[in-house]
Amino acid sequence: MNELSIEQLSDWHELNKEKNLFGRRIVFEMIEPIIKNLSNKFIIDQLGYSFSQIPIYKITIGNGKTKVLLWSQMHGNESTGTKAIFDMFQFFDNPGENISTASQILKECTLVFIPLLNPDGAEVYTRKNAQGVDLNRDVLDLKAPESKILITFLKEFSPKFCFNLHDQRTIFSIGKENLPATISFLAPSESAERRVTKGRKVTMAVITSMNKVLQDIIPNQVGRYTDEFYPTATGDNFQKAGHHTILIEAGHSKDDYNRERVRKYNFIALLTGIHHIAIESKLTNYKLYFDIPNNEKYYLDIIYKNVFLSNRGQMVDVGVIFKEELVSDEIIFRPIIEHIKDLSNYNGNVIIDYEGKVFDNEDKLKEIIEY
Ligand SMILES: [Zn+2]
């Protein structure tokens, strides 16, 4: 059994990641030429079309017995997983010093990727598809063609493992220091009782292996999502149907609004998880999953400390979150006031001390802060 060298993987990523993809908005016209140019190690098939008739592809590599399905961007504005998937294509094509890791994975696993499951949402930078359907809550109704594509292929392929790749908002924090939740995981429940079933234990063990590696690179910035059961959620239903389903939420890292640093962490986490699957590692204790701290909501984009509001006659803090908007093909981050209160138990990407600066009222504050 060979060990993954995380330093080596990290260096590889800096030099060899997919350079044609960058930033938050990843759309079909960016990925299509890359897919068409993939080497003959990859098998490319079209699975169907989105509601607005944009093609949805699957890409297969490896021919091992363990079947793994990965999909990304079922929420159109959550693109970090897509970038990490294309970095993995580069990796398997040209692993350099990591050749033994890559060959081992491809010998043991058949990997199928469906990048950009919701190309219509990606186009207009929305979570939902063109019909206004949340694909992550459509697994029973199957109102959206994109959901049908995913479930039809799931049934045909019957993967042992699934990776469901999302992005979470900047508001999530972890631990006493309220560091940003840079990567969060979930082993979805199979029922409202949230029992730790045999299937969930296997899923948790994969997550534990990924967490172990990430803690070395981003200590105390890895979180765990609530395992409350969502009867219509994709992951919960896939897990229930016997496919070990790992949810990964890529999040914020200090100043990383393009999510390029977390893209690397996502890439490393994915390779670690798949490597764990490939070597059928029994070394990881699934119980360590419960040591991963829960996601909290104590992180803001900007905190203005010590603002004096005349109409209240008191000192307050002002918490700002960025609203992401698509304006002529660019994502802009519009600051919106979320809290006016004591925010001493919050952390922020930027913290500015206003040292008692006086504002007449909330409207005056808005004029200055929301632009
Ligand atoms: Zn999502």
Side-chain angles (χ1 to χ4, degrees):
M1 165 172 69
N2 69 329
E3 280 292 315
L4 272 182
S5 164
I6 299 310
E7 208 173 311
Q8 206 169 288
L9 265 188
S10 181
D11 292 346
W12 180 94
H13 190 266
E14 294 291 336
L15 290 170
N16 300 295
K17 68 182 166 194
E18 175 53 67
K19 294 184 181 67
N20 292 306
L21 299 178
F22 177 86
R24 292 296 279 274
R25 184 165 175 260
I26 302 294
V27 296
F28 180 72
E29 64 179 27
M30 297 173 185
I31 66 162
E32 191 186 32
I34 308 175
I35 293 173
K36 296 250 154 98
N37 276 322
L38 286 172
S39 77
N40 58 12
K41 286 184 192 168
F42 298 87
I43 301 164
I44 298 154
D45 302 287
Q46 195 178 321
L47 284 170
Y49 291 94
S50 69
F51 186 80
S52 303
Q53 298 299 307
I54 300 180
I56 294 169
Y57 286 106
K58 80 171 159 71
I59 295 114
T60 307
I61 189 166
N63 43 30
K65 62 180 188 311
T66 308
K67 294 189 258 180
V68 184
L69 174 62
L70 306 92
W71 66 93
S72 69
Q73 231 169 323
M74 69 190 309
H75 291 146
N77 55 358
E78 300 178 7
S79 60
T80 306
T82 303
K83 292 188 289 185
I85 282 179
F86 280 88
D87 296 343
M88 289 176 82
F89 294 161
Q90 288 294 322
F91 178 82
F92 287 118
D93 211 22
N94 170 31
E97 292 178 295
N98 307 286
I99 179 84
S100 62
T101 302
S103 336
Q104 191 172 25
I105 290 174
L106 298 181
K107 188 170 137 262
E108 299 297 333
C109 302
T110 300
L111 307 176
V112 177
F113 300 85
I114 307 177
L116 194 48
L117 184 64
N118 179 6
D120 299 350
E123 203 57 47
V124 289
Y125 204 67
T126 57
R127 176 182 180 86
K128 294 178 177 174
N129 83 340
Q131 301 159 283
V133 173
D134 181 340
L135 302 185
N136 204 24
R137 294 286 181 272
D138 189 40
V139 72
L140 300 180
D141 295 345
L142 296 176
K143 283 192 204 121
E146 298 87 353
S147 313
K148 282 185 203 136
I149 283 174
L150 180 65
I151 199 105
T152 304
F153 182 68
L154 178 93
K155 286 181 178 161
E156 179 194 320
F157 183 49
S158 192
K160 187 167 180 193
F161 291 92
C162 293
F163 287 84
N164 182 6
L165 306 181
H166 289 255
D167 273 55
Q168 61 187 345
R169 295 171 64 200
T170 309
I171 55 172
F172 293 104
S173 61
I174 291 161
K176 280 199 286 290
E177 291 172 70
N178 294 322
L179 294 175
T182 303
I183 295 270
S184 298
F185 294 111
L186 174 65
S189 293
E190 296 173 26
S191 65
E193 295 78 38
R194 312 182 191 189
R195 276 193 305 121
V196 180
T197 58
K198 210 171 145 203
R200 284 188 81 201
K201 285 179 189 169
V202 178
T203 309
M204 287 170 182
V206 179
I207 292 175
T208 298
S209 72
M210 296 189 282
N211 176 55
K212 188 166 174 280
V213 163
L214 289 177
Q215 287 297 344
D216 285 340
I217 332 174
I218 42 170
N220 307 313
Q221 290 176 63
V222 184
R224 177 162 60 95
Y225 254 91
T226 167
D227 63 356
E228 186 184 338
F229 180 66
Y230 290 97
T232 61
T234 306
D236 305 44
N237 281 281
F238 285 14
Q239 180 80 34
K240 196 168 139 187
H243 315 281
H244 307 304
T245 302
I246 296 130
L247 179 84
I248 304 183
E249 296 273 356
H252 185 68
S253 165
K254 172 89 175 154
D255 295 334
D256 185 31
Y257 283 96
N258 281 316
R259 301 238 162 139
E260 287 292 310
R261 214 182 308 132
V262 69
R263 161 190 192 164
K264 181 167 90 174
Y265 306 143
N266 211 347
F267 164 82
I268 290 173
L270 281 171
L271 274 179
T272 305
I274 293 170
H275 185 248
H276 170 96
I277 290 167
I279 62 176
E280 293 184 273
S281 171
K282 300 275 190 277
L283 301 173
T284 338
N285 180 351
Y286 78 89
K287 287 181 181 160
L288 295 173
Y289 174 78
F290 295 100
D291 291 349
I292 305 173
N294 285 312
N295 260 20
E296 308 276 357
K297 283 185 188 168
Y298 290 107
Y299 199 88
L300 296 161
D301 290 303
I302 310 173
I303 297 176
Y304 296 96
K305 304 287 289 178
N306 304 314
V307 174
F308 191 84
L309 271 183
S310 300
N311 63 329
R312 296 192 191 187
Q314 70 174 174
M315 200 79 91
V316 292
D317 301 326
V318 181
V320 167
I321 56 171
F322 291 146
K323 191 164 174 269
E324 292 157 31
E325 282 176 16
L326 179 65
V327 179
S328 41
D329 281 359
E330 294 230 18
I331 305 301
I332 58 157
F333 295 88
R334 197 181 288 285
I336 304 288
I337 296 176
E338 177 77 358
H339 301 291
I340 301 179
K341 62 180 186 184
D342 174 17
L343 295 172
S344 45
N345 55 343
Y346 280 71
N347 192 5
N349 188 70
V350 172
I351 298 174
I352 299 166
D353 191 350
Y354 262 20
E355 297 173 337
K357 188 171 175 182
V358 179
F359 290 84
D360 291 347
N361 52 41
E362 290 78 0
D363 288 342
K364 288 285 176 220
L365 202 54
K366 262 192 174 177
E367 277 172 28
I368 302 293
I369 289 174
E370 298 188 348
Y371 47 86

